Amino acid sequence: NSVIEELMVDSKERLWVCSISSLNLYDSKNDKFIKIETDLFNDKIIQDISEDHNGVIWISTDTGLYRYNPQEEKIEKFNDPQNIINDKNILTIYYSNNKLWLGTKTCGLIIMDLNDYSIKSYQYNLDDNTSIPSNFIRDILRAKDGSIWLATDQGLALFDEETESFYTYKKNECSNKLYTNRWKCVIFLKDISLYIPIEITPYYGVGKLISVNFFTMNPGGDFCAKGTTNIQITCPIPAHRRSAAGNRRTGKRLQGRQSVRDFARCNRLR
């Protein structure tokens, strides 16, 4: 499938590619992709991928969670006895400290401890200003200082694991100068945090300008704006997408969730 949802380089430096309905491993020696044969994804949409400390590949879909053991070449659906994860639309998956962090489309944040498979879930509560700001979560990332950030459609959330509470940064509610509440992903670059909103739609070869805000965090937890800059999106065009004229750019749209994040990688933002 040509619609690519996510890319991942595992602990053995192998490239994994998730299309909408298949999991693929790149064979660099022979320059080809090896599809992981299974019928489990025939009617599913693969949305994200992550590797745990045992080398097991976890795959999130629109109907639940799957895992693939490369050593045993075995893929299976994860069956949660508590029925918290089963059949959930999981948009993003993040592994850290032997826990899987799952961001869902309608059911908030789910954290599963891989030691005993215990599960905690967090959903929006209108009467609790420390609850997660939305049940729609598009990205999860741990910063170097250990803090957990979540990109939602109702602001950027900082999760305190000790108190199990959330602090939300929203547009126009404080001096952090966020210009949208709808966040696509979170990328940390060295000591600077780069946040890219969901509205960005990059295209192959199109010199489109986007504005991004760079921030650092003050000791008190407030954003300190480092400035706004325009970045011209230019990404190499694969040979099969070039026009007959040669080098003329075709303007093909990048597909899936990976488009914004991997465009940042492609353009080597610093």
Side-chain angles (χ1 to χ4, degrees), residues 101-118:
W101 299 69
L102 310 175
T104 70
K105 186 174 183 179
T106 58
C107 299
L109 173 67
I110 300 173
I111 305 174
M112 180 168 68
D113 191 325
L114 296 183
N115 290 311
D116 55 8
Y117 295 102
S118 59

Side-chain angles (χ1 to χ4, degrees), residues 129-133 148-150 154-160 163-170 173-176 178 217 220-223:
N129 61 7
T130 66
S131 75
I132 196 168
I148 289 287
W149 293 85
L150 298 93
Q154 293 298 319
L156 190 63
L158 174 62
F159 179 57
D160 188 325
T163 62
E164 297 186 273
S165 59
F166 298 82
Y167 181 82
T168 304
Y169 295 87
K170 285 192 173 184
E173 286 192 359
C174 52
S175 60
N176 54 55
L178 300 182
M217 294 295 294
D222 293 327
F223 280 120

Side-chain angles (χ1 to χ4, degrees), residues 50-51 94-101 112 142 148 161:
S50 189
E51 179 189 28
Y94 180 72
Y95 172 79
S96 177
N97 297 341
N98 214 31
K99 293 180 180 179
L100 283 182
W101 299 69
M112 180 168 68
R142 184 184 293 276
I148 289 287
E161 292 185 76

